[in-house]
Structure formats: structure tokens, C-alpha cells
Amino acid sequence: MRYLVSLFGDQALDPEPGTPEFDTDMAEYMAFDEKAGSAILGGEALQPSATAATVRSGAGDPLVTAGPFTETTEVIGGFYVLETDTLDDALELSRHIPAVRRGWAEIRPLVQWEDRGRAEGALPEGTDRYMAVIYGKESAADVPDTPEWEEGAAAHGRFAEWAGDDVQAGGALRPA
């Protein structure tokens, strides 16, 4: 089974690059990567939330605003995609992610995961990458194998085809 592990916390608690605390953190992430091994299908640390923007639906064109969640200090700081036999295995691995000491992780089963970047080679050094997280109220469109799901999957497929190589990876989560 594949799981999305979203890492949350207060960015003010993260150590600054160039400090011994940051170096310790990086060593702990390398140890986690070694422990998790081939269970890690993907993952990335995210830039500070001050660099984020939000696109929200509304009347007419979507509205773009600064920041991810202006009402909170706890934000998503990174993610992993893990492949394990059971949820318990994913939970056990997630306990060893260094960010969990200062925050928390949400572990959700994935319906599907596609990693185009890994299959086609790494992006050139210095290439900007962005993660688009889709939020909304759950509906029949979030239940696999329903007509609503199939319609939504087709729409996402058309978007990915339109976006071409700009889409490096993506996945669909099971309902909460």
C-alpha cells in the first residue's frame, strides 16, 4: 500500500541552515532515508510558508492570495510517499522522521501515485519545483470507482496532459 506522509509543524522551531542543529537534523534525515530504504517512493522538503500562494475558487476566475493558511502558524513543511505492506508499517517508519519531533505527520493511503520525474530522470540543478495541494470538502468524487471519481480522474488526466512535463508527480488520496 502507498501512503502520503505530510509533515506539519511550526517553522519557527526549525534550525537555521549552517548551524550545528541544522547539521544534526540533516544527519537524522539521512539516517531515516537509510532506515526507510526502498519504502520511500518520493518526498521533498518545502520552502518556508512565506513563499507560498493559494489559488481559491470563487465567482469568476480563481482568486490568488499570498501564503498557504494565513490563520495558522503550523504549516506543511514537506512530505514523503511511502510504500509499505501495512498502515502499521507506515506509522512505524513515520515515527522516525525527524520533523515529527517538533510537529506531526498525517499519514493517508493513496489511491494512486505517479512519479514522472523519477521515470524520466532528475530535473536540472536549480529548477524550481512547486507542490500544489488540493483541498476541499469530500464528496462522491473522492470515492474510488464511482462515476464521480472517474469524471474527476479524467479531468485531472486532461490537466496533466495539458501541463505536460511541468507535472513531475501526483497522487490521489483515499477519503479521510
Side-chain angles (χ1 to χ4, degrees):
M1 186 72 134
R2 292 179 177 155
Y3 298 90
L4 173 68
V5 180
S6 301
L7 305 173
F8 293 88
D10 183 342
Q11 291 177 329
L13 301 177
D14 291 344
E16 291 292 322
T19 64
E21 294 83 5
F22 182 84
D23 294 342
T24 298
D25 239 24
M26 291 302 101
E28 290 173 353
Y29 275 103
M30 298 311 269
F32 171 72
D33 289 351
E34 193 171 307
K35 178 178 185 58
S38 64
I40 298 175
L41 299 182
E44 189 80 34
L46 300 178
Q47 294 290 333
S49 62
T51 65
T54 299
V55 178
R56 296 186 189 273
S57 66
D61 290 332
L63 172 67
V64 178
T65 61
F69 317 105
T70 55
E71 65 277 3
T72 184
T73 58
E74 292 88 12
V75 296
I76 186 169
F79 72 97
Y80 283 97
V81 176
L82 302 177
E83 186 167 47
T84 62
D85 291 334
T86 67
L87 173 60
D88 287 340
D89 293 339
L91 292 171
E92 178 55 31
L93 276 177
S94 297
R95 286 184 181 98
H96 298 277
I97 300 172
V100 173
R101 285 193 323 273
R102 293 185 301 274
W104 68 94
E106 176 186 53
I107 296 85
R108 296 263 310 269
L110 285 156
V111 175
Q112 64 188 49
W113 172 252
E114 179 182 349
D115 186 344
R116 294 175 171 184
R118 183 174 287 189
E120 298 172 10
L123 293 172
E125 186 69 30
T127 300
D128 288 336
R129 294 177 299 225
Y130 299 89
M131 183 171 99
V133 181
I134 302 167
Y135 292 92
K137 293 183 180 182
E138 286 188 351
S139 68
D142 298 303
V143 180
D145 303 321
T146 63
E148 295 88 348
W149 169 273
E150 296 302 326
E151 183 179 326
H156 283 285
R158 288 188 299 276
F159 165 76
E161 187 175 311
W162 172 82
D165 291 341
D166 289 338
V167 174
Q168 290 294 302
L173 295 170
R174 295 198 179 274

